[in-house]
Amino acid sequence: MEKQSIKEYMEMYCKMTYGKTVKHATTAEVWSALSTAIMSQIVDRWYVTNKAYKSQKMAFYISAEYLMGRALGNNLINLQEYDQVKDLLKELNINLNEVEEMEEDAALGNGGLGRLAACFMDSSATMHLPVQGYGLRYRNGLFKQCFKNGEQVEEADEWLKYGDPWSIRKEADMVYINFSDMKVKAIPYDVPIIGFGGATINTLRLWQAEPLCEFDFNLYNNQQYDKALEQKNRTEDITRVLYPNDSTEQGKLLRLRQQYFLVSASVQDMVRDFKRRHGNVFDDFAKWHAVQLNDTHPVLAIPEFIRILVDEEGESFEKALGTARKVFAYTNHTILQEALEKWDAYLMQKLFPRIYQIIEQIDAALVQELREKGYSDDRINMYHIIKEGKVHMAHMAIYVGFAINGVAKLHTEILKNTELHHWYELYPYKFQNKTNGITPRRWLVLANQELSSLITEKLGSNEWMMDLSLLKQLTKFVEDDEVLERLQSIKYTKKCQLAECIKAREGIEIDPNSLFDVQVKRLHEYKRQLLNAMYILDLYFRLKENPNLDIPKVTFIFGAKAFPGYYRAKSVIKLILAIGDLINRTPEVKDKIQVVFVTNYSVSYAERIIPAADLSKQISTAGKEASGTGNMKLMLNGAPTFGTYDGANVEIVAESGEENNFIFGLRVEDINNLRNNYNPKEYYDKSPDLKRVLDAFIDGTLDPANTGCFRDLYEALLVGKNWERPDQYYLLADFKAFKAMQDKVFECYKDRRKWAQMSLMNIANSGAFSSDRTIMQYASEIWGISPIS
Ligand SMILES: *Cc1c(COP(=O)(O)O)cnc(C)c1O
């Protein structure tokens, strides 16, 4: 990269765009100028990669979510230009870190599923794999979280406020999307995905909805201004936010419209490209294209593909279905019933009747296949795609898809043996496991440059950045005092940096000499932030009774967004904030423990928190967390796992050793045995500590004004609400084991050398969790694609 040309480009850009020199530009303007200058340097290579990919089979990853985070720092790391650009800016009296901090996160996702898609993009480019992503360019991401009066408040997330230098609008590749009541344009914005080393640049194509016409001239002329813009607004609503509230029919229609918009644009794009290169005989389509459906959100791609082949290309339904059965594969991310999408048939009929007809035909083909196999009507009923007026998206994906994968070994076993057992009996050969992974570039090289340098120094090269299994060699330093001390000192540095960041963003001071106990992830009952909170409340009571309790000073760090309509999740946030306040008000406790709930947990916040964590809390109810990827990021940064036998925790412990982690609580089998005679009230009656904690929810301890705001949580645990069983996620059953294990943590933490050894063993054994490994498995075992040379 040419330093001089970057500088010249930035000068020119600032003059042309802002009418000033770089010297007078704001930090946001510098960010935009620098990002655009980098784009100018990669466009040629991007073009070359695109061209090279067209000569072989490609995979297309369709996902409603991409949780990309910031682009600038990551792109500089992947270009291996980070230090050079830092120096270049220094010559201009600009601090690169400040410029990076200006960038808004591209938060086009909700949590792990969206971050996985982002890590897969990075790994595909790094591994030189011909993979393209398809997604939506939401004008506003999920939402921005703040706390007001001790509660979560949502605001619009304006990630585009400083512009979008990291995409190119491809007007010429526009397609039209037809709904029964409207026709709209889908305009692609292409985002470059720079592989590590910078030689390969893949594409993430994000679609934006736009109206056919900006406004109705005649209505406007008649001074009906709102009406003149109605069509434009209705169209732009389609890609305004991720997961619009679907509590009403209007909301459901909008979500369904959004899903169809994504898949129709993407499938039309693929078919158009296929025809350009291979003509209009679709027999070979599957030789050139594999399509991965990330969860059920893009499953309408299947009937849309069939519709195009039948209605526009004149193929028979049977033939089109046969082709679809070689093209699509589906990833299952959850067994939670509420997350397995089932859409009302009448909504589909209303928005796209032709697509619904095709789904009926697919269902009929499935039934015929099962009849031929001799299945009874009762049995066939378990497989139906359309059942009781609802369309089961997962059923359609499994029937038509040629592969279905779970995202961790345990999760895939649960799919095969219980949740999808009947499908596994029908198509055992379709089921595969692909344990999730994370990109070491963002989660170590970028987020923890100090630890990266130490690793490179000790391993003698930076090859590990592209082959994370090389970290295994670090195990030879497990008795090396110099390495162990440097590990501790790096952790301390990262804790100081986080403390500064929390001071700046939250106005809260935390002590970098305390143990940082971290639970960061979406707020959901199954993830059991509430169990962690109950433990902290118990510890509060113990410290009040005995201020000399022998524990290290601890800072409990939480980060989580609650979905806006998820009332109980919001109550949990409120409860944790209340516990934090209670502790701050109690002199004999507040110097021992502190609770911080950071606002607006995001990728860029995760990059600060994770390297600073001493302990990784992964405490989901066994069987509920399909994989988890936060657990992997924390492991890679040297935090032992405090967790249940769930999701990828099982594999993390198998790699790094039970003795280097803190595993507690009920396992899947235990829960299955307990399920039918579980009575949480018994635990409450028998354990005074648990009783004291739960009573504090309702006796005014946490709610001095006695508003009763935590009564719902209390009742959900002890008596059950709205036909739910009490304590559906087994918090009370796991409380005792949690407490015993946390005591063990405190005991272990006293021996800092031992702790550093556990940390080292986690880092050294995290190689299996690189998304490079995961994506290579998708490539060879599902898609049948290989790296370009
Ligand atoms: C990795 C990540 C997640 C997923 O965390 P889990 O603990 O696996 O649920 C969610 N949000 C962000 C911002 C992340 O970076």
Side-chain angles (χ1 to χ4, degrees), residues 709-728:
C709 57
F710 302 125
R711 180 162 284 276
D712 172 71
L713 290 178
Y714 176 88
E715 288 177 357
L717 291 174
L718 290 173
V719 292
K721 300 199 75 177
N722 310 323
W723 299 282
E724 284 170 9
R725 302 180 195 212
D727 193 14
Q728 285 194 89

Side-chain angles (χ1 to χ4, degrees), residues 378-428:
D378 264 0
R379 187 111 198 269
I380 289 174
N381 202 35
M382 297 165 64
Y383 295 86
H384 261 301
I385 295 169
I386 303 172
K387 199 153 53 167
E388 290 155 11
K390 294 201 186 281
V391 179
H392 290 234
M393 306 303 271
H395 290 190
M396 181 154 53
I398 301 168
Y399 168 55
V400 180
F402 67 88
I404 147 165
N405 73 284
V407 289
K409 282 180 191 159
L410 177 69
H411 169 61
T412 302
E413 288 309 305
I414 291 174
L415 291 180
K416 293 199 294 194
N417 301 332
T418 51
E419 296 306 311
L420 299 175
H421 182 65
H422 58 296
W423 283 103
Y424 178 60
E425 285 181 320
L426 177 61
Y427 301 128

Side-chain angles (χ1 to χ4, degrees), residues 67 111-112 115 443 520-521 527 601-603 606 618 628-630 633:
L67 198 51
R115 186 53 232 173
W443 296 110
V520 286
K521 47 186 71 260
K527 292 178 181 280
Y601 179 59
S602 58
V603 171
Q618 309 296 339
T629 49
K633 300 167 199 165

Side-chain angles (χ1 to χ4, degrees), residues 528-733:
R528 302 202 296 190
Q529 282 95 347
L530 183 55
L531 176 59
N532 200 7
M534 284 162 55
Y535 171 78
I536 297 168
L537 193 51
D538 178 61
L539 188 58
Y540 160 85
F541 284 123
R542 281 155 72 197
L543 281 165
K544 243 181 93 158
E545 268 176 3
N546 174 15
N548 296 321
L549 196 70
D550 179 25
I551 61 160
K553 187 170 179 185
V554 193
T555 304
F556 293 96
I557 298 172
F558 290 89
K561 289 183 183 176
F563 199 71
Y566 191 173
Y567 173 79
R568 193 166 290 158
K570 288 180 156 180
S571 299
V572 173
I573 293 182
K574 187 171 171 149
L575 182 93
I576 295 170
L577 291 170
I579 293 173
D581 284 346
L582 176 67
I583 290 168
N584 289 341
R585 293 198 302 269
T586 313
E588 63 272 37
V589 178
K590 80 176 201 325
D591 294 329
K592 278 285 196 181
I593 58 175
Q594 187 179 6
V595 177
V596 182
F597 205 123
V598 304
T599 49
N600 205 41
Y601 179 59
S602 58
V603 171
S604 57
Y605 225 143
E607 289 165 16
R608 301 301 203 107
I609 297 170
I610 288 169
D614 290 308
L615 189 68
S616 162
K617 280 231 162 106
Q618 309 296 339
I619 57 174
S620 51
T621 311
K624 297 293 183 191
E625 186 73 271
S627 166
T629 49
N631 46 4
M632 301 167 184
K633 300 167 199 165
L634 283 146
M635 177 195 197
L636 179 63
N637 281 277
T641 298
F642 179 102
T644 45
Y645 247 102
D646 198 18
N649 295 354
V650 177
E651 290 159 73
I652 285 176
V653 172
E655 293 290 326
S656 61
E658 184 108 24
E659 68 284 6
N660 295 309
N661 296 286
F662 302 91
I663 301 304
F664 76 99
L666 299 171
R667 300 189 178 202
V668 175
E669 315 81 79
D670 301 325
I671 287 179
N672 289 340
N673 293 333
L674 186 61
R675 180 164 294 123
N676 290 323
N677 41 32
Y678 179 49
N679 181 7
K681 186 80 174 19
E682 272 172 30
Y683 293 85
Y684 172 90
D685 290 333
K686 280 192 207 143
S687 343
D689 53 350
L690 249 182
K691 182 169 186 312
R692 180 168 67 175
V693 164
L694 293 178
D695 289 350
F697 287 22
I698 54 165
D699 66 9
T701 309
L702 291 170
D703 172 28
N706 261 311
T707 61
C709 57
F710 302 125
R711 180 162 284 276
D712 172 71
L713 290 178
Y714 176 88
E715 288 177 357
L717 291 174
L718 290 173
V719 292
K721 300 199 75 177
N722 310 323
W723 299 282
E724 284 170 9
R725 302 180 195 212
D727 193 14
Q728 285 194 89
Y729 296 99
Y730 302 91
L731 280 65
L732 275 66

Side-chain angles (χ1 to χ4, degrees), residues 65-115:
E65 298 187 30
Y66 288 90
L67 198 51
M68 302 298 280
R70 291 173 174 158
L72 176 61
N74 195 253
N75 285 342
L76 292 177
I77 289 286
N78 280 9
L79 289 165
Q80 294 183 287
E81 309 276 3
Y82 191 93
D83 293 331
Q84 252 174 292
V85 169
K86 193 169 185 154
D87 293 344
L88 172 160
L89 290 187
K90 215 181 261 162
E91 291 164 21
L92 299 168
N93 255 324
I94 300 167
N95 178 332
L96 175 58
N97 292 121
E98 282 169 22
V99 178
E100 286 178 78
E101 279 299 301
M102 273 318 294
E103 184 172 353
E104 292 286 315
D105 277 44
L108 311 182
N110 183 14
L113 177 149
R115 186 53 232 173

Side-chain angles (χ1 to χ4, degrees), residues 59 156 269 436 508 556:
D269 197 39
N436 282 168
I508 297 173
F556 293 96

